């Protein structure tokens, strides 16, 4: 292929640096180059590049790189440019550190009319997303989305287009770089998109903000991208972790590159950074941060109490110290542990000096025992047995990072713990895989020193895996994609349960997701006749989903009604003692997450265990198990009778244990776990994020048709209406509209139990699905008063009301209810209409902005009024009971607080609401204050949301 390159340059000293000469020399093998610098240069300088250019000139034109290209086009002429197959537009704002040949040939094979190395969008916050997915889900011509202009390629066909020639003909001098961006870089990008040119990029994902100026710029090198921006090393735009420590990283991915070229240039243009001294410092450099942290604790201890408010940071540190030392026999033991481990830690760390490949599992640096810790320990043991990982060193390290290493008393460690700071001090590997328990991942990130961060980012192949053992404890997307990704873009998630190993989780976090089913030890067999009349109790206190039953209530009943049984709480037991105990006991009760070791392991020991069904963890078939109760009330009412029944009949006992054991074995086997583990290290992940079909809830739609008898009118691409099983008709809104239908018709989300006549106040009316359903199922529902804040959804709802002839039954207002008056523009995503919030929370929109089905974000004007101003008259004028349904996002507390403040909350007879975790306790307190008793709590999987039902307590 014949190429011509127009190369724009600028140097404040009028020098053509070695990195430019290297760049032009490499590029000249693939293109005829014309060079123009926007500055004065001597003939001697221009002669440096004469072997690699057809022309080279320099003069001040004040039009930056786009102006240089325009000037060269005027001089060369379009007719000459048209003789080439491709036109390359390049500049000297980046170092060429890789091989440009494969870069060019890769894109040549894609037969594009326009391409760039990558794209950026300064406003995009959602983390890595496939470019194709982002393009179809955004109003791309109205946001700051650009093809990075430091290397652009136009085909011969595109060069002939009048709109391209007109664009370059109209370039004029500008005052600053920002104007270049707004007028020309953004302008050309939108021109390409507006004319629907066949385009592409070498990096086919979009990353947060301007990724070429962030830590992700170094990650691109591992993908074969040959450039890195010069300003990355100056940290001009974003905080870059240890930019001057990255030269060996560059050398690893591009071994032929002479890094001295880059260092010499940086020394010349920014000598205060002293890049030539990178890597020369030894590991004994004085750590101000470390000393300051130690002194802060001392200062706090000797400071008078009245000074405490002025030492908040110091107090926080002291609280950490107080918390951590409780896991030792004494505070002196906490510090003596540091001293006693020095020699052993030095010996262990010294063995790592020549190691190039590490797998580091982080585990609690506390001498306690938990299912998660045992699971990680077994994972390490099994990983050591994988033949193709024999050249990897497996290491256990402790979190929090500042704690001393621990030798566990309760189980045999797969490997001794090595303090992370000593790992950093003693080796500089080329490949590291870090495994972080989900709940400890933020602790790891927060406590990394600058030296430890620099060590991590220098690793050429760094992967961080989040061990998602409990999905309710997962860090939020922002932490994974925007904070942890500062260290590496190579992030994965492995899940302990199949219930949340899903494509949805992969898409939510923009990371590969893989299931790693925990390994299990060999359990003991004890015959029924030899088991003791013992009921084991798990060491958990917070009963998932319980409204009023406590652990103490259950234990009191067991003690009272089963006096022949001994109750033992499982705690402070070594693994072998624990195995003997569960095998020798007739029964175990899990008060924790449910599908955990306290439920699984006794059954595998041929005993019986009980739990309450938890949809976050239990596979669905266990909902029908005789050992799994539907609620804590169900367990409380029936467990005594069940224990009596199973204990008196050996055959019933053994059959029930055998049946549940077979169910468990379908989900747990060490053979299955070993295959999953090997697949993970072979990078054969279960789910990877990527472009998906437009219908995010396509599986839900299919379920509505096959299981709920819904009928969709029209062809699949243009289904106008949906007919429900009760013959209501709704406009098909797609997106999460399908999920709303499933919640109401499939899951029976709104099953109001009111025998008397009542009115319904529906706040968060959406399209009217819930109200219409309730009007159909409750003949004693006299009137519905609805409030929908978002005008587009309100318009759908009005039409649905008319289509179902409910104009006399439903009074709907286009208002958002809160605790104040306001008129404001609020972002609205049609495909997520049921999840919109009048608060317009940034975190909420960041999440959905990267979803696989987001259509353009619209801004709608919404009137917001205090809830009492609309509901006071309705409530006062009603002769019937009052039911309130409140399905809002972010304004729950404002609405309920406003009704409470004006004496209206206590006049509600039935109350149903979706609650997020951050306001759950406050709202529950307000309900209790107004004698509304919570009778039901239903969790939403992967949504951190709870639906509650409360009734007027008329006692």
């Amino acid at each position: 292929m014949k190429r011509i390159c127009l190369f724009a340059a600028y140097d404040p000293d009028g020098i053509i640096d070695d990195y430019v000469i290297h760049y032009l020399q490499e590029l000249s093998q693939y293109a005829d180059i014309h060079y123009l610098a926007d500055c004065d240069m001597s003939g001697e300088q221009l002669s440096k590049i004469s072997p690699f250019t057809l022309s080279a000139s320099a003069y001040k034109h004040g039009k930056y790189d786009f102006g240089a290209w325009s000037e060269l086009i005027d001089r060369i002429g379009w007719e000459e440019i048209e003789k080439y197959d491709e036109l390359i537009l390049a500049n000297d704002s980046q170092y060429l550190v890789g091989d440009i040949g494969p870069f060019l040939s890769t894109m040549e094979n894609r037969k594009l009319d326009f391409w760039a190395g990558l794209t950026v969008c300064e406003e995009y916050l959602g983390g890595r997303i496939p470019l194709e997915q982002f393009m179809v889900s955004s109003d791309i011509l109205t946001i700051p989305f650009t093809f990075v202009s430091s290397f652009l390629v136009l085909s011969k066909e595109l060069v002939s287009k009048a709109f391209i020639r007109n664009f370059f003909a109209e370039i004029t001098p500008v005052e600053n770089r920002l104007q270049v961006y707004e007028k020309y870089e953004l302008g050309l990008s939108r021109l390409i998109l507006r004319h629907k040119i066949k385009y592409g990029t070498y990096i086919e994902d979009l990353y947060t903000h301007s990724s070429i100026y962030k830590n992700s710029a170094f990650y691109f090198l591992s993908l074969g991208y040959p450039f890195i921006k010069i300003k990355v090393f100056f940290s001009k735009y974003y905080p870059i972790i240890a930019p001057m420590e990255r030269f060996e990283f560059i050398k690893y991915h591009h071994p032929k590159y002479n890094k001295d070229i880059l260092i010499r240039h940086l020394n010349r243009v920014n000598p205060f950074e002293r890049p030539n001294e990178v890597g020369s410092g030894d590991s004994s450099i004085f750590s101000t941060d470390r000393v300051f942290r130690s002194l802060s604790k001392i200062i706090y201890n000797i400071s008078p109490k009245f000074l405490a408010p002025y030492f908040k940071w110091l107090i926080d540190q002291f609280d950490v110290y107080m918390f951590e030392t409780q896991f030792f026999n004494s505070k002196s033991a906490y510090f003596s542990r540091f001293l006693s481990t020095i020699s052993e830690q030095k010996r262990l760390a010294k063995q790592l000096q020549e190691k190039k490949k590490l797998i580091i599992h982080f585990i609690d640096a506390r001498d306690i025992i938990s299912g998660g810790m045992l699971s990680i320990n077994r994972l390490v043991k099994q990983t050591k047995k994988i033949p193709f990982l024999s050249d990897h060193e497996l290491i256990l390290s402790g979190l929090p990072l500042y704690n001393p290493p621990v030798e566990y008393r309760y189980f045999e460690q797969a490997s001794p713990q090595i303090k992370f700071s000593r790992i950093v001090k003693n080796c500089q590997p080329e490949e590291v895989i870090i495994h972080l328990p989900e709940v400890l991942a933020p602790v790891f990130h927060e406590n990394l020193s600058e030296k430890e961060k620099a060590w991590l980012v220098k690793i050429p192949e760094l992967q961080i895996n989040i061990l998602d053992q409990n999905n309710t404890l997962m860090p939020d997307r922002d932490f994974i994609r925007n904070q942890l990704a500062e260290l590496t873009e190579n992030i994965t998630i492995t899940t302990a349960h199949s219930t949340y190993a899903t494509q949805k989780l992969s898409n939510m976090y923009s990371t590969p997701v893989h299931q790693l089913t925990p390994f299990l030890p060999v359990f003991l067999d004890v015959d029924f006749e030899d088991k003791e009349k013992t009921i084991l109790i798990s060491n958990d206190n917070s009963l998932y989903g319980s409204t009023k039953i406590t652990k103490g209530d259950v234990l009191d009943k067991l003690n009272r009604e089963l006096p022949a049984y001994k109750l033992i709480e499982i705690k402070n037991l070594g693994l072998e003692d624990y195995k003997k105990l569960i095998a020798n006991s007739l029964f175990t009760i899990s008060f924790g997450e449910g599908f955990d070791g306290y439920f699984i392991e006794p059954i595998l020991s041929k005993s019986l265990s009980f739990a309450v069904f938890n949809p976050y963890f239990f596979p669905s078939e266990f909902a029908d198990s005789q050992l799994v109760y539907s609620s804590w009330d169900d367990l409380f009412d029936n467990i005594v009778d069940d224990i009596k029944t199973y204990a008196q009949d050996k055959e019933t006992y053994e059959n029930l244990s055998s049946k549940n054991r077979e169910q468990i074995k379908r989900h747990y086997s060490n053979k299955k776990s070993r295959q999953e583990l090997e697949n993970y290290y072979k990078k054969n992940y279960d789910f990877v994020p990527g472009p998906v079909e437009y219908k995010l809830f396509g599986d839900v739609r299919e379920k509505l048709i096959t299981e709920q008898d819904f009928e969709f009118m029209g062809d699949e691409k243009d289904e106008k209406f949906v007919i429900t099983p009760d013959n209501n008709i709704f406009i098909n809104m797609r997106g999460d509209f399908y999920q709303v239908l499933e919640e109401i018709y499939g899951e029976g989300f709104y099953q109001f139990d009111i025998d008397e006549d009542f009115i319904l106040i529906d706040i968060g009316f959406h399209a009217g699905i819930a109200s219409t359903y309730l009007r159909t199922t409750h003949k004693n529902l006299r009137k519905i008063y609805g409030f929908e804040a978002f005008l587009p959804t309100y318009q759908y709802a009005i039409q649905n009301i008319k289509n179902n002839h409910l104009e006399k039954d439903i009074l709907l207002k286009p208002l958002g209810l809160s605790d104040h008056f306001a008129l404001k523009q609020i972002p609205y995503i049609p495909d997520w209409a049921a999840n919109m919030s009048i608060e317009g929370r940034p975190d909420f929109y960041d999440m959905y902005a990267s979803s696989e089905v987001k259509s353009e974000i619209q801004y709608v004007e919404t009137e917001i009024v205090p809830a009492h101003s609309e509901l006071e008259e309705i409530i006062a004028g009603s002769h019937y009971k009052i039911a309130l349904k409140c399905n809002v996002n972010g304004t729950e507390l404002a609405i309920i607080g406003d009704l409470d403040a004006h004496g209206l909350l206590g006049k509600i007879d039935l109350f149903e609401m979706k609650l997020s975790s951050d306001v759950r306790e406050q709202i529950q307190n307000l309900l209790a204050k107004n004698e509304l008793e919570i009778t039901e709590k239903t969790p939403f999987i992967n949504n951190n949301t709870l639906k509650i039902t409360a009734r007027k307590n008329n006692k």
Side-chain angles (χ1 to χ4, degrees):
M1 176 173 284
K2 190 177 179 183
R3 303 179 179 92
I4 184 173
C5 173
L6 309 184
F7 194 95
Y10 169 79
D11 189 276
D13 302 321
I15 294 173
I16 298 180
D17 213 290
D18 288 346
Y19 85 90
V20 179
I21 298 172
H22 166 74
Y23 189 168
L24 295 174
Q25 182 179 7
E26 294 297 310
L27 184 56
S28 66
Q29 300 176 52
Y30 305 96
D32 293 338
I33 303 172
H34 296 268
Y35 174 98
L36 173 59
D38 185 11
C39 60
D40 294 326
M41 279 183 179
S42 66
E44 180 182 359
Q45 287 295 321
L46 292 171
S47 67
K48 291 180 182 180
I49 59 172
S50 58
F52 316 117
T53 59
L54 291 189
S55 71
S57 56
Y59 54 87
K60 292 180 180 178
H61 54 73
K63 295 187 285 187
Y64 290 80
D65 45 4
F66 277 88
W69 298 330
S70 176
E71 293 279 313
L72 287 170
I73 289 169
D74 287 343
R75 185 192 310 167
I76 299 166
W78 286 113
E79 287 144 1
E80 180 64 22
I81 292 172
E82 274 193 296
K83 295 177 182 178
Y84 292 86
D85 300 306
E86 283 186 343
L87 166 63
I88 297 173
L89 304 176
N91 64 36
D92 64 351
S93 66
Q94 56 191 4
Y95 298 119
L96 174 65
V97 298
D99 190 344
I100 200 169
F103 173 70
L104 292 171
S105 60
T106 296
M107 301 308 293
E108 177 184 338
N109 293 334
R110 291 174 60 183
K111 309 296 183 187
L112 302 167
D113 286 321
F114 176 87
W115 65 269
L118 69 164
T119 57
V120 295
C121 181
E122 183 62 34
E123 289 183 358
Y124 177 62
L125 305 174
R128 184 173 61 188
I129 182 176
L131 181 59
E132 176 187 346
Q133 184 176 324
F134 179 80
M135 299 289 274
V136 300
S137 63
S138 305
D139 189 353
I140 209 69
L141 295 175
T142 64
I143 60 177
F145 170 87
T146 60
F147 297 96
V148 173
S149 64
S150 50
F151 198 95
L152 301 173
V153 180
L154 291 71
S155 71
K156 181 176 184 176
E157 290 74 15
L158 183 56
V159 163
S160 67
K161 301 293 185 182
F163 67 86
I164 289 292
R165 297 189 177 190
N166 290 337
F167 173 82
F168 284 101
E170 294 173 2
I171 291 175
T172 57
V174 291
E175 294 181 2
N176 52 52
R177 181 69 210 176
L178 181 60
Q179 289 185 359
V180 175
Y181 166 77
E182 292 175 344
K183 292 182 68 174
Y184 302 132
E185 188 169 13
L186 194 57
L188 179 60
S189 297
R190 289 178 175 172
L191 201 62
I192 295 298
L193 296 170
R194 192 157 49 242
H195 285 270
K196 302 187 184 303
I197 301 303
K198 186 179 180 183
Y199 63 84
T201 55
Y202 183 85
I203 302 295
E204 296 185 88
D205 289 342
L206 181 73
Y207 294 74
T208 301
H209 293 311
S210 291
S211 53
I212 50 170
Y213 297 118
K214 300 183 70 178
N215 288 281
S216 49
F218 294 95
Y219 172 69
F220 298 153
L221 301 182
S222 68
L223 303 178
Y225 188 67
F227 302 110
I228 191 158
K229 280 282 193 177
I230 295 170
K231 288 182 180 177
V232 164
F233 294 96
F234 301 154
S235 302
K236 293 289 186 184
Y237 302 109
Y238 299 97
I240 307 292
I241 297 173
M244 298 301 178
E245 301 283 343
R246 309 269 193 141
F247 299 117
E248 291 304 320
F249 181 97
I250 295 170
K251 189 74 173 174
Y252 177 86
H253 287 291
H254 299 292
K256 295 180 181 178
Y257 182 67
N258 180 3
K259 66 178 184 180
D260 293 337
I261 294 174
L262 185 154
I263 292 172
R264 284 197 300 270
H265 175 250
L266 289 174
N267 274 330
R268 179 174 72 84
V269 298
N270 200 26
F272 299 105
E273 293 289 345
R274 303 178 68 83
N276 53 336
E277 295 186 4
V278 170
S280 63
D282 63 41
S283 57
S284 63
I285 292 175
F286 183 83
S287 174
T288 304
D289 178 66
R290 189 178 306 156
V291 172
F292 184 73
R293 288 187 181 210
S294 301
L295 287 175
S296 70
K297 294 176 183 177
I298 296 172
I299 294 170
Y300 179 84
N301 278 318
I302 65 176
S303 296
K305 292 289 184 183
F306 71 87
L307 289 177
Y310 303 101
F311 289 102
K312 176 144 191 344
W313 184 86
L314 303 179
I315 293 167
D316 290 343
Q317 294 301 309
F318 182 73
D319 288 343
V320 169
Y321 154 74
M322 292 293 288
F323 176 76
E324 296 304 331
T325 53
Q326 70 176 302
F327 297 100
F328 293 77
N329 294 330
S330 66
K331 292 175 185 177
S332 62
Y334 178 76
F335 293 105
S336 64
R337 178 67 187 164
F338 280 105
L339 297 174
S340 64
T341 60
I342 289 175
S343 59
E344 177 67 5
Q345 285 291 298
K346 283 184 176 180
R347 184 187 68 81
L348 291 170
K350 191 173 181 181
Q351 296 175 1
L352 303 176
Q353 286 180 348
E354 303 301 322
K355 302 298 182 182
K356 294 299 180 184
K357 297 182 179 181
L358 307 180
I359 299 175
I360 306 175
H361 277 271
F362 280 91
I363 195 168
D364 254 320
R366 307 180 180 104
D367 190 17
I368 57 177
I369 191 168
S370 70
M373 291 167 66
L374 287 173
S375 177
I376 293 172
N377 198 60
R378 293 169 192 156
L379 199 60
V380 173
K381 286 182 178 179
Q382 295 296 328
T383 305
K384 287 182 174 181
K385 299 177 183 180
I386 298 177
F388 61 80
L389 295 178
S390 59
D391 58 345
H392 288 68
E393 188 73 14
L394 264 74
I395 302 170
L396 278 177
S397 194
L399 285 171
L401 294 174
Y402 43 75
N403 267 11
V406 170
E407 290 181 3
Y408 294 103
R409 293 173 292 166
Y410 300 110
F411 59 93
E412 181 184 356
Q413 287 180 231
S415 181
Q417 236 178 66
I418 306 178
K419 197 165 173 62
F420 186 61
S421 58
R422 291 199 176 273
I423 299 172
V424 171
K425 183 177 180 180
N426 281 274
C427 66
Q428 187 60 58
E430 296 176 349
E431 179 183 326
V432 174
I433 301 173
I434 289 176
H435 294 278
L436 291 172
E438 78 290 276
V439 71
L440 294 176
V443 175
F444 170 78
H445 185 266
E446 288 165 10
N447 288 281
L448 285 172
S449 67
E450 292 306 310
K451 179 180 177 181
E452 288 161 347
K453 289 180 181 179
W455 182 83
L456 287 167
V457 299
K458 283 193 294 184
I459 297 168
E461 296 184 33
L462 173 64
Q463 179 174 344
I464 296 178
N465 179 54
I466 307 298
L467 293 164
D468 186 1
Q469 298 172 309
N470 183 335
N471 202 45
T472 63
L473 301 178
M474 271 292 285
D476 61 25
R477 177 190 169 86
D478 178 71
F479 170 76
I480 300 291
R481 290 297 352 145
N482 295 332
Q483 295 182 56
L484 208 56
E486 289 181 354
L487 303 174
T488 177
E489 287 287 347
N490 190 6
I491 298 173
T492 56
I493 296 172
T494 52
T495 68
H497 294 83
S498 59
T499 50
Y500 48 83
T502 62
Q503 184 67 55
K504 182 178 180 180
L505 187 70
S506 178
N507 290 337
M508 179 181 294
Y509 286 96
S510 294
T511 62
V513 167
H514 187 74
Q515 185 172 346
L516 279 185
T517 305
F519 288 89
L520 296 174
V522 177
F523 292 101
L524 306 176
D525 288 347
V526 175
D527 292 336
F528 175 80
E529 296 85 353
D530 298 325
K531 293 183 184 292
E532 300 174 2
K533 297 189 81 171
T534 302
I535 302 172
L536 303 180
I537 308 299
S538 75
N539 188 21
D540 302 288
N541 294 310
S542 180
L543 308 192
Y544 169 82
S546 176
T547 57
K548 56 185 179 181
I549 300 297
T550 67
K551 182 178 181 179
D553 294 335
V554 178
L555 298 186
D556 287 345
K557 183 173 184 177
L558 293 173
N559 278 317
R560 185 172 61 252
E561 300 186 27
L562 296 171
Y565 283 84
K566 183 179 181 182
L567 270 62
I568 300 175
E569 187 169 48
I570 303 170
K571 59 182 179 180
N572 299 328
L573 278 179
L575 178 60
E576 294 306 315
D577 291 336
Y578 165 74
K579 287 164 60 176
K580 291 177 184 176
L581 186 61
I582 61 174
N584 282 286
S585 299
L586 278 170
F587 302 103
T588 302
I589 304 175
S590 172
F591 285 92
E593 63 192 43
F595 199 57
D596 54 13
Y598 297 120
F599 177 80
I600 294 167
E601 292 165 0
I603 293 174
L604 294 177
S605 303
K606 297 187 177 178
S607 295
L608 290 184
S609 52
F610 302 98
V612 169
F613 188 76
N614 182 333
Y616 285 103
F617 304 104
F618 269 109
S620 57
E621 70 250 38
F622 281 90
D624 299 323
S625 170
Q626 292 171 270
L627 301 177
V628 180
Y629 298 95
S630 61
S631 67
W632 289 104
D633 298 86
D634 185 19
L635 181 146
F636 182 82
D637 293 339
N638 295 293
I639 192 166
V640 169
D641 290 338
D642 288 344
I643 287 175
K644 290 177 179 178
T645 299
Y646 305 147
Q648 67 186 8
D649 184 355
K650 174 183 176 180
E651 184 177 356
T652 300
Y653 183 98
E654 291 181 341
N655 287 343
L656 192 53
S657 181
S658 176
K659 178 183 176 182
N660 281 271
R661 190 158 52 253
E662 291 306 310
Q663 280 185 294
I664 289 171
K665 287 180 177 178
R666 285 198 288 272
H667 296 275
Y668 283 87
S669 78
N670 286 351
K671 181 179 179 181
K672 174 178 182 287
S673 299
R674 191 171 295 109
Q675 187 60 60
E676 290 172 350
L677 185 61
E678 290 186 6
N679 285 342
Y680 172 78
Y681 282 109
K682 290 177 181 177
K683 303 188 185 302
N684 297 329
Y685 304 126
D686 293 334
F687 303 97
V688 294
V692 295
E693 292 182 3
Y694 179 76
K695 297 186 299 300
L696 171 64
F697 294 99
D699 55 337
V700 180
R701 174 188 172 279
E702 191 62 29
K703 185 178 180 181
L704 292 171
I705 295 172
T706 57
E707 298 182 18
Q708 305 294 334
D709 296 326
F710 278 78
E711 187 176 349
F712 287 77
M713 306 293 291
D715 60 59
E716 190 168 337
K717 291 184 178 180
D718 190 27
E719 294 168 339
K720 299 290 188 184
F721 299 100
V722 180
I723 300 177
T724 67
D726 52 3
N727 292 318
N728 290 317
I729 184 168
F730 298 108
I731 298 170
N732 188 353
M733 295 175 64
R734 297 178 173 77
D736 64 358
F737 166 77
Y738 298 147
Q739 186 63 54
V740 175
L741 292 174
E742 169 60 18
E743 286 175 5
I744 294 171
Y745 284 88
E747 300 173 12
F749 192 78
Y750 296 108
Q751 297 288 351
F752 284 11
D753 184 15
I754 300 183
D755 295 331
E756 303 174 54
D757 289 347
F758 71 101
I759 64 169
L760 171 66
I761 299 172
D762 188 345
I763 306 174
F765 190 82
H766 186 235
I769 303 166
S771 283
T772 305
Y773 168 80
L774 289 168
R775 182 67 186 85
T776 304
T777 55
H778 291 275
K779 301 305 180 186
N780 55 339
L781 174 53
R782 295 301 180 183
K783 191 80 173 179
I784 298 171
Y785 299 89
F787 299 90
E788 173 53 41
F790 290 89
L791 190 58
T793 305
Y794 166 83
Q795 290 168 338
Y796 278 116
I798 288 294
Q799 191 59 51
N800 288 334
I801 290 170
K802 292 179 179 178
N803 290 341
N804 291 290
H805 309 294
L806 296 174
E807 296 94 329
K808 294 181 179 179
D809 298 317
I810 300 176
L811 176 63
L812 180 62
K813 290 188 176 183
L815 295 173
L817 301 190
S818 186
D819 58 358
H820 63 281
F821 289 98
L823 186 66
K824 61 181 184 179
Q825 297 282 329
I826 301 174
Y828 171 80
I829 305 173
D831 293 311
W832 293 96
N835 285 278
M836 294 295 95
S837 170
I838 62 173
E839 292 302 309
R841 296 171 295 166
D843 59 328
F844 178 87
Y845 287 96
D846 289 348
M847 180 174 71
Y848 289 110
S850 60
S851 73
E852 50 274 64
V853 69
K854 185 191 80 70
S855 39
E856 63 186 75
I857 295 181
Q858 303 172 8
Y859 284 82
V860 298
E861 186 172 83
T862 295
E863 183 182 355
I864 300 169
V865 301
H868 78 274
S869 67
E870 287 292 326
L871 302 190
E872 192 165 25
E873 185 177 350
I874 295 172
I875 293 172
S878 175
H879 302 294
Y880 308 113
K881 284 188 176 290
I882 298 168
L884 174 65
K885 165 200 163 265
C886 189
N887 186 358
V888 294
N889 285 291
T891 52
E892 306 99 324
L893 185 58
I895 292 171
I896 302 309
D898 185 70
L899 294 179
D900 172 64
H902 289 84
L904 299 177
L905 188 57
K907 298 180 180 180
I908 306 297
D909 298 286
L910 178 66
F911 179 95
E912 290 212 353
M913 169 180 274
K914 277 187 181 180
L915 285 180
S916 58
S917 60
D918 54 343
V919 297
R920 197 172 294 167
E921 184 176 350
Q922 295 161 283
I923 288 182
Q924 289 179 166
N925 290 339
L926 286 174
L927 295 177
K929 171 187 171 184
N930 287 274
E931 298 183 334
L932 282 159
E933 181 182 357
I934 297 175
T935 59
E936 180 190 354
K937 294 181 182 179
T938 305
F940 282 74
I941 296 176
N942 294 335
N943 198 19
N944 198 28
T945 304
L946 196 70
K947 187 210 81 170
I948 64 168
T949 301
R951 293 179 177 277
K952 189 70 175 176
N953 188 346
N954 294 314
K955 293 180 181 179

